[in-house]
Amino acid sequence: MLLEILRRRLTVVWWGNIRFERAYTRDLCRLLKASGCIAVSGGVEVASDRVLGLINKGVTLEQLTRSANHFTGTGIMVHAYLMYGFPTETTQETVDSLEVVRQLFELGYIHSGFWHRFAMTAHSPVGLCPERFGTRVTEPPFGGFARNDVAFEDLQGGDHDELGDGLSRSLYNYMRGVGFDLPLQKWFDCKIPATTIPPRFVAHMAEEQEPVEKLHSRRLYWLGGRVELGPESVKKGKYSIVLLLHTNSREMAIKMRGDWAHFIHESLMQVGVDAVNPYLLEDFSRNYEILFNDDFLPFWYSKEMQAIRDHGLLLL
């Protein structure tokens, strides 16, 4: 769908609900942005890997952080659904979850959110088997046509009745870009434990660089505009060419080795959004090594190739 929007030269603006999957790489988010995506909303839920496992969310904090970073890094707004009071969730886990949320806001990985108090529903996994989640239903058996929320008691978790106001106060301020330097205790009227989350926990999880070997099966796409070979020059016996990359808003000139410029120009002609035949990174790497009889990695990580990637060369 995303590529079809670009192939048809359509101008659309859209947003959607997502799950913070590992598949939302930086390049996929750039494609989403190019197709007209302006915002996504997704469930952060409880920022605790233990509780996310109980919920069977299917994502980890690391995946969630990296995906959110990729969305916001490409200019897509992220709204987070947050939850507290899941069965067996302790007060400590809720406080640690808040600290993760604070760091996500401070780093700009999410822009807005809302804390929801967990409610047991009759046909959810918790409602069907409350004993598996350390809970007890406190209302009599239902004999009517339908019901949704079920009254229950959490036999193992913390006392979340007193945490809701503090969570809401903190989030109200974080969404406005203030209060990041205040201790979490400042938001609560009751005494809470100190967080166990390290100060750079979220920033550390966001740091990644996949080895090229894991990317070989991905297809190259060029989202930029027209590509031209510009002026040539020879200085101190070194032959160079200016590669001109055009978009609707600007032109970028990259001076590089002449043989590299010809190779990149020819390759980009094969990977536009209208291209029918797939051209994989594996193909790109093999063709480079055959043509130049040289290792591909220094070329791939060169400042010239990184500039071209930033300008619209995607791996999907």
Side-chain angles (χ1 to χ4, degrees), residues 60-313:
T60 64
L61 275 181
E62 185 176 55
Q63 286 175 240
L64 186 155
T65 298
R66 290 180 178 178
S67 296
N69 182 27
H70 293 154
F71 279 114
T72 55
T74 54
I76 297 175
M77 177 184 167
V78 174
H79 174 82
Y81 298 117
L82 306 165
M83 180 174 65
Y84 70 102
F86 191 82
T88 75
E89 182 186 352
T90 65
T91 300
Q92 182 69 68
E93 285 174 322
T94 302
V95 171
D96 287 347
S97 183
L98 173 59
E99 172 59 17
V100 172
V101 169
R102 185 196 69 79
Q103 292 184 25
L104 287 168
F105 271 100
E106 186 175 29
L107 291 169
Y109 294 172
I110 56 179
H111 300 98
S112 67
F114 188 83
W115 285 104
H116 300 263
R117 176 69 184 269
F118 171 79
M120 181 188 290
T121 51
H123 301 290
S124 68
V126 182
L128 292 172
C129 299
E131 65 281 354
R132 288 181 52 198
F133 295 86
T135 63
R136 180 175 64 86
V137 175
T138 57
E139 64 180 54
F142 183 74
F145 175 70
R147 67 172 174 176
N148 189 29
D149 289 3
V150 180
F152 73 98
E153 179 184 9
D154 185 354
L155 303 176
Q156 300 177 24
D159 182 2
H160 285 87
D161 289 336
E162 57 185 8
L163 299 178
D165 289 344
L167 294 173
S168 297
R169 284 191 206 107
S170 60
L171 193 61
Y172 177 87
N173 285 273
Y174 297 160
M175 286 194 292
R176 285 153 181 78
V178 297
F180 297 122
D181 57 340
L182 294 178
L184 300 185
Q185 180 63 66
K186 290 289 187 180
W187 307 117
F188 295 88
D189 299 324
C190 61
K191 180 68 176 176
I192 62 168
T195 181
T196 64
I197 300 297
R200 293 195 71 256
F201 180 75
V202 169
H204 178 72
M205 285 194 298
E207 296 170 356
E208 64 169 332
Q209 183 167 304
E210 288 187 273
V212 168
E213 293 77 14
K214 289 188 176 181
L215 307 176
H216 273 175
S217 62
R218 295 188 184 177
R219 183 173 176 175
L220 289 166
Y221 282 99
W222 171 242
L223 292 186
R226 192 170 74 257
V227 183
E228 296 178 333
L229 293 172
E232 304 180 11
S233 63
V234 178
K235 188 175 182 179
K236 295 183 178 180
K238 295 183 178 180
Y239 169 52
S240 63
I241 293 179
V242 174
L243 189 69
L244 300 172
L245 309 176
H246 300 268
T247 68
N248 293 332
S249 58
R250 63 190 178 115
E251 176 184 284
M252 184 176 184
I254 306 175
K255 188 176 182 179
M256 64 178 66
R257 283 173 42 176
D259 51 359
W260 278 12
H262 282 285
F263 174 69
I264 292 171
H265 178 263
E266 181 181 340
S267 299
L268 293 183
M269 294 300 97
Q270 302 178 56
V271 296
V273 294
D274 295 316
V276 176
N277 297 319
Y279 189 68
L280 307 181
L281 180 63
E282 182 179 18
D283 302 323
F284 189 51
S285 171
R286 181 176 60 250
N287 292 342
Y288 175 87
E289 293 183 345
I290 291 173
L291 181 62
F292 295 98
N293 192 30
D294 198 8
D295 185 14
F296 176 71
L297 289 183
F299 167 71
W300 180 249
Y301 289 116
S302 67
K303 65 179 187 299
E304 294 89 349
M305 275 305 305
Q306 295 310 300
I308 292 169
R309 290 207 64 196
D310 291 339
H311 203 69
L313 181 61

